[in-house]
Amino acid sequence: MLTTTYNKTGLFFEGDQLEENIRADEAMHNNKLSTSTHFYDILEKGHTKRKKKVVNSFNWHSLITRTDEPFKEHKVFPILNNWGLNVETPNFVLDTLESKKRKYGSEGISLIDYENKPAYKLAFQRIQNAYSGKLSDGRHVFEYQKAGAALIGSKKRLVLGFDMGLGKTMTTLIGLTSREENKKILIVTMSRNISDWEREIHLLGFQNDYIKLMNRMDMKSDKRIHLVSYEKWKQESIIFKEKEYTSCPTCNSTFYWNMKRQHCKACNKSHKNSEDLYTRDTLPEDCTRCNKTWKKGQLFCGCGYTVVKERKKGLFRFIDRSYDAAAIDEAHKIKNGANLTSKSIRAIKTKTRIALSGTPAENGTDDLYWILQWVYGDSHHFEDPYEKEVFRGYGKKGEEHFRAYFGGGTQKALMDTKSIEARVSNQEKLWELLDLFMLRKKKTDVDVKSEINVPAPTHHRLHLVLSEAERTLYDKRLEEFRVWYQEEHLKKEAAEMRGDKYRISTIEVCSWLDKLRKVASCPWVQEDYDAKSMTEPVKLTTVKDKIREYARTGKKMLIFTAHKKTAEELGVILDSVSPGMRAAYIHGSVAMDYRHELMARFQNPNDDLSILVMTMRTGAESYTLTEAKGVILYDLEFNPKKIEQCFSRAVRLGQKDSVEVIWLIGVDTIDANIHALVLSKKSGVDLAIDRVVMDAEQLAKEFVTDGTTDLEKGLDYQEFASKMLASGNTRADYAS
């Protein structure tokens, strides 16, 4: 008699005797019951490869997703009977399988259909009753926030994809606290956002029921809400040992040197110093114990010696099952599965998992993979389209498959990007997946727009011709790049002739591209710039003219740049352009307290701080700067959603005017290439996440040439936009 039983991977048949098990294996193998084989094509490094996958027919995923008939009617039973084997299937096995199928069915309901379910309606009614009036600060909870909170309060997995400034923090707190089962809630956010969460926690009346996690003992607190920063959650440190010398550091003697005591008899001096510790920069080249080459990067030697005295673990190492729910703010921070930030979040295994991000995919659809892996990775709906298995089991391999299937295949190099090419594929399948667990709301949605009333921004894309001095310097730097690149190719060819391998450093190529970016944006800081030129850099002139225009109407503006040095220079230069309009700059090295002081002054309409220059990485998130009526993108970041986050500092709840967004793009420079790359990425993300196709006609109207946006009647907008995007460098400029 064979008995059907199960483990965490699936069902299997087990007999009392070895002979029964052998016959069962042979029967299933001969009839191809236990496994199925399928082939699939995948694009790798520009080439299509044919791959084979063998799938276990009795694993949970196959039984749940590929078998419609009741298990008792599975064809395996009559075949085993023909081999003289009887099979008994206990009810608890069938109940377990049916339970998993029911869960699969309930998870397969789109959020729109889920809103008709009793669980959602009850959650919404609870929230409606609790938050129908005004809050203590005079605000009220919007209807779309209540709907989002009801989903959080009734579903266990959700990506809250509210646009920047639509109130994800409050929505999440209301949703998680409205569910009684969530007795202990973990919230992970950026350190700069901690105060925002605390403000909303106080506003909702939970000021006595939360704790900021500072150490592992705080995690034992019975407070309901546990708030922690990404930095504190993942932070791990190493305390190094005292330095050990193999000879006397004073007289260089080895004969009189006592290695164990670190003492020299000749000098009669001990060199043990508790303050003189190793650092990563002062590690010995060879092991101080056995004098052999050691694993320097891993901080230990094969002989057992290590330079590490103590390792302090991050808080995430101590998480236990006491947490019922978790929410991670700025969830796009975990898109790189290999870094510690992502790994520390994936250590959170709570039943309820909520990911918050206004930009869940910043560069492309593959940014979604690790977010979905955390939120939905144990769901059979999150399936590898090639492996026919749940994505959770594949890690890096799963990420590559996700990118190949949904990410639009191969990507073009920066200087080959001269038009808009949406980087997305199989978007209909992706939409089906996202419909199950992503609640997306944008400022332009009808139900949102009617409540927040934030005017849409106007975009002007200025294509600027470089001055003679700028052009000379840019062409010089491009020629230097070309010479370097040709030398690298000669080295590569010589290595190949010797039968060796030589790889041109990607880091070095990126370094050269960054040099071109800096010359195109802030040439006057370059040592070889012709400072005697009577003509001011064109971008600087354009910004000064715009400042004087805004000064006449008393408007304030934000300026964003990708470079720290450019931000500092602009902050100083623009401070004296127009009387009554002071300027300041913020980048990553500016103290947090001073940043908040500057932003408070900027938000004060009576303060003369009217120009705030910020680096994109520092200023793109968390800040509300609605006093700005204009945003200048002095140069561009490669990340399109990062750019969107920048001007969203002004275009958000509380903004009463249409904000003017000005893009400064140098003609025949790398600016144009980055612009095309940004639009390609954005078009792919918009299609994948928001199901919006880029409007070529509207885009063409935003381009500004010769000081005007008036375009001819009957103009081919697509052709015009493509022409503007193509006004950059090509690979031939440096690879010829």
Side-chain angles (χ1 to χ4, degrees):
M1 172 74 71
L2 292 176
T3 302
T4 309
T5 185
Y6 67 85
N7 56 24
K8 66 179 181 180
T9 60
L11 301 184
F12 61 95
F13 302 100
E14 188 173 50
D16 296 329
Q17 299 177 6
L18 177 61
E19 186 261 339
E20 286 180 324
N21 290 325
I22 292 173
R23 265 199 296 160
D25 289 343
E26 189 176 354
M28 288 191 288
H29 178 74
N30 287 349
N31 291 277
K32 298 181 179 179
L33 290 174
S34 58
T35 59
S36 61
T37 303
H38 70 274
F39 296 88
Y40 61 89
D41 295 327
I42 187 169
L43 194 65
E44 289 185 357
K45 298 180 180 179
H47 301 286
T48 301
K49 290 189 176 181
R50 187 81 166 165
K51 294 197 173 185
K52 180 177 77 171
K53 174 65 179 176
V54 178
V55 178
N56 179 3
S57 302
F58 292 103
N59 66 20
W60 289 123
H61 188 68
S62 295
L63 290 168
I64 292 169
T65 62
R66 317 231 184 275
T67 307
D68 295 327
E69 73 275 4
F71 184 67
K72 282 188 174 181
E73 298 177 13
H74 197 286
K75 61 183 179 181
V76 68
F77 296 111
I79 290 174
L80 289 175
N81 287 334
N82 290 337
W83 282 66
L85 296 166
N86 294 321
V87 184
E88 178 187 23
T89 304
N91 287 333
F92 75 86
V93 174
L94 297 175
D95 292 344
T96 301
L97 178 58
E98 288 306 310
S99 174
K100 289 180 178 292
K101 283 189 174 183
R102 284 195 299 273
K103 182 182 178 184
Y104 176 76
S106 63
E107 286 180 344
I109 300 174
S110 70
L111 294 182
I112 293 176
D113 292 334
Y114 183 80
E115 290 178 358
N116 296 319
K117 292 291 181 181
Y120 171 82
K121 291 181 178 179
L122 285 172
F124 186 85
Q125 192 59 53
R126 284 198 307 269
I127 291 165
Q128 182 72 22
N129 294 340
Y131 299 100
S132 57
K134 286 187 176 181
L135 300 172
S136 59
D137 66 346
R139 287 187 292 164
H140 66 275
V141 182
F142 296 123
E143 290 301 309
Y144 71 83
Q145 288 181 299
K146 294 176 185 176
L151 284 172
I152 294 172
S154 56
K155 282 183 72 71
K156 292 184 177 179
R157 307 295 171 89
L158 188 75
V159 176
L160 190 66
F162 281 9
D163 215 349
M164 287 79 74
L166 294 187
K168 293 186 289 293
T169 302
M170 178 175 287
T171 301
T172 302
L173 285 171
I174 291 173
L176 289 176
T177 56
S178 69
R179 191 183 184 109
E180 291 184 3
E181 293 89 335
N182 295 334
K183 299 186 184 300
K184 196 170 175 181
I185 301 165
L186 176 66
I187 296 171
V188 188
T189 185
M190 301 298 291
S191 57
R192 60 172 173 258
N193 294 356
I194 289 284
S195 58
D196 295 333
W197 281 90
E198 288 186 296
R199 184 180 63 248
E200 303 292 69
I201 286 171
H202 281 254
L203 185 62
L204 296 175
F206 296 102
Q207 63 271 19
N208 297 321
D209 206 10
Y210 90 98
I211 184 174
K212 281 198 297 184
L213 300 184
M214 303 305 293
N215 54 62
R216 60 184 292 189
M217 295 309 298
D218 288 342
M219 298 171 72
K220 303 296 182 183
S221 170
D222 59 359
K223 300 281 188 182
R224 191 177 187 193
I225 301 172
H226 289 204
L227 184 62
V228 65
S229 67
Y230 275 103
E231 294 82 352
K232 182 66 70 174
W233 183 248
K234 71 176 182 179
Q235 186 178 36
E236 297 195 296
S237 60
I238 294 175
I239 299 176
F240 286 95
K241 289 181 177 179
E242 300 168 0
K243 286 184 179 178
E244 290 189 5
Y245 299 96
T246 55
S247 62
C248 177
T250 302
C251 66
N252 294 323
S253 171
T254 56
F255 182 79
Y256 293 104
W257 179 249
N258 187 314
M259 177 72 183
K260 187 175 182 180
R261 294 176 55 203
Q262 293 287 292
H263 181 272
C264 180
K265 288 184 179 180
C267 302
N268 194 24
K269 183 178 180 182
S270 175
H271 289 276
K272 257 193 168 182
N273 186 347
S274 60
E275 296 181 358
D276 190 14
L277 306 178
Y278 283 117
T279 67
R280 287 195 178 273
D281 296 328
T282 60
L283 296 177
E285 291 298 324
D286 298 319
C287 175
T288 57
R289 295 289 173 84
C290 66
N291 294 324
K292 293 181 180 179
T293 302
W294 66 311
K295 296 180 179 179
K296 187 175 176 181
Q298 297 180 29
L299 308 179
F300 70 90
C301 179
C303 71
Y305 174 71
T306 177
V307 293
V308 176
K309 182 178 182 181
E310 181 185 355
R311 291 180 185 267
K312 289 191 174 182
K313 297 180 180 179
L315 291 181
F316 75 95
R317 303 283 187 186
F318 304 101
I319 191 168
D320 55 28
R321 294 183 179 274
S322 63
Y323 288 103
D324 304 298
I328 59 168
D329 197 8
E330 310 289 359
H332 48 273
K333 296 292 182 185
I334 71 169
K335 66 184 179 182
N336 181 357
N339 67 23
L340 187 59
T341 299
S342 183
K343 290 177 180 178
S344 69
I345 294 300
R346 301 202 311 271
I348 303 170
K349 305 292 186 183
T350 52
K351 290 182 179 179
T352 297
R353 303 177 199 174
I354 310 299
L356 288 66
S357 179
T359 55
E362 295 185 305
N363 287 291
T365 54
D366 49 303
D367 284 355
L368 289 167
Y369 177 76
W370 289 107
I371 300 175
L372 306 190
Q373 184 68 265
W374 179 70
V375 173
Y376 221 57
D378 54 358
S379 169
H380 292 282
H381 289 281
F382 190 44
E383 179 188 72
D384 188 318
Y386 299 120
E387 297 283 352
K388 304 302 181 186
E389 292 283 359
V390 183
F391 259 127
R392 68 175 180 226
Y394 295 100
K396 185 67 176 176
K397 185 177 183 180
E399 182 182 17
E400 292 170 355
H401 284 189
F402 191 93
R403 180 184 297 114
Y405 193 75
F406 295 118
T410 56
Q411 298 181 353
K412 281 192 174 183
L414 173 63
M415 285 188 165
D416 288 337
T417 306
K418 300 173 72 62
S419 61
I420 303 174
E421 297 178 35
R423 298 181 176 185
V424 63
S425 53
N426 297 302
Q427 57 266 28
E428 292 83 2
K429 291 286 186 182
L430 183 61
W431 295 343
E432 290 177 11
L433 181 63
L434 297 182
D435 281 344
L436 303 180
F437 59 89
M438 178 180 285
L439 179 61
R440 181 70 169 151
K441 290 290 180 184
K442 293 182 67 66
K443 299 183 187 78
T444 52
D445 292 346
V446 176
D447 58 335
V448 176
K449 190 175 181 180
S450 61
E451 294 199 86
I452 67 169
N453 196 28
V454 175
T458 56
H459 290 266
H460 297 141
R461 303 172 191 270
L462 276 63
H463 278 61
L464 307 172
V465 178
L466 270 59
S467 68
E468 184 177 347
E470 289 178 277
R471 184 80 263 167
T472 299
L473 179 58
Y474 188 88
D475 290 344
K476 176 185 176 183
R477 199 69 79 244
L478 192 61
E479 174 63 16
E480 291 170 350
F481 182 18
R482 187 184 67 79
V483 170
W484 173 84
Y485 197 78
Q486 285 184 340
E487 289 176 351
E488 288 295 295
H489 262 284
L490 290 174
K491 292 177 184 177
K492 184 177 181 180
E493 290 173 4
E496 289 174 349
M497 290 180 67
R498 296 192 306 268
D500 298 331
K501 289 184 178 180
Y502 186 87
R503 186 184 179 119
I504 299 176
S505 170
T506 303
I507 295 175
E508 284 292 326
V509 172
C510 291
S511 175
W512 277 106
L513 296 178
D514 194 54
K515 290 176 184 178
L516 292 175
R517 292 176 69 195
K518 290 176 179 176
V519 170
S521 63
C522 195
W524 66 88
V525 303
Q526 308 295 318
E527 292 182 358
D528 48 352
Y529 177 68
D530 183 8
K532 297 178 181 179
S533 171
M534 299 300 292
T535 307
E536 193 174 54
V538 62
K539 286 187 179 181
L540 191 56
T541 300
T542 304
V543 171
K544 286 183 176 180
D545 289 343
K546 184 57 67 174
I547 288 173
R548 296 185 185 102
E549 177 188 324
Y550 271 43
R552 290 193 289 270
T553 54
K555 293 179 181 179
K556 297 190 177 188
M557 69 164 59
L558 298 174
I559 300 174
F560 287 95
T561 174
H563 304 109
K564 177 180 175 180
K565 183 65 175 177
T566 306
E568 292 177 349
E569 289 285 320
L570 290 176
V572 173
I573 293 172
L574 302 180
D575 190 46
S576 58
V577 171
S578 180
M581 289 191 77
R582 301 302 304 275
Y585 64 83
I586 293 175
H587 53 58
S589 299
V590 174
M592 192 64 70
D593 289 345
Y594 185 56
R595 293 187 209 180
H596 289 300
E597 179 187 333
L598 290 176
M599 287 185 283
R601 287 182 58 196
F602 186 87
Q603 281 293 88
N604 182 354
N606 298 318
D607 196 292
D608 61 356
L609 181 59
S610 305
I611 306 160
L612 200 52
V613 186
M614 308 174 80
T615 54
M616 290 182 172
R617 293 193 177 184
T618 300
E621 297 169 352
S622 308
Y623 306 130
T624 296
L625 298 167
T626 48
E627 276 300 306
K629 306 306 174 186
V631 176
I632 295 179
L633 303 172
Y634 195 81
D635 44 43
L636 301 180
E637 171 66 58
F638 294 108
N639 185 329
K641 288 302 177 180
K642 186 71 71 180
I643 294 173
E644 188 175 329
Q645 286 175 322
C646 287
F647 60 75
S648 290
R649 299 309 99 209
V651 186
R652 60 195 297 112
L653 193 62
Q655 181 60 260
K656 304 300 181 185
D657 303 298
S658 177
V659 175
E660 181 183 26
V661 182
I662 302 171
W663 303 58
L664 303 185
I665 302 155
V667 177
D668 296 328
T669 72
I670 196 173
D671 282 357
N673 300 95
I674 297 175
H675 188 210
L677 179 68
V678 162
L679 291 177
S680 292
K681 289 181 177 181
K682 183 180 185 303
S683 62
V685 170
D686 287 349
L687 180 59
I689 304 297
D690 299 317
R691 305 171 198 194
V692 175
V693 178
M694 186 168 285
D695 187 340
E697 182 174 338
Q698 176 57 38
L699 177 65
K701 290 179 179 178
E702 294 174 0
F703 286 115
V704 179
T705 56
D706 300 324
T708 178
T709 55
D710 296 332
L711 302 177
E712 307 169 11
K713 289 184 178 180
L715 179 71
D716 186 328
Y717 292 104
Q718 181 70 51
E719 182 181 348
F720 177 78
S722 297
K723 181 180 178 182
M724 297 303 292
L725 291 170
S727 60
N729 296 133
T730 66
R731 191 184 291 241
D733 291 333
Y734 68 92
S736 58

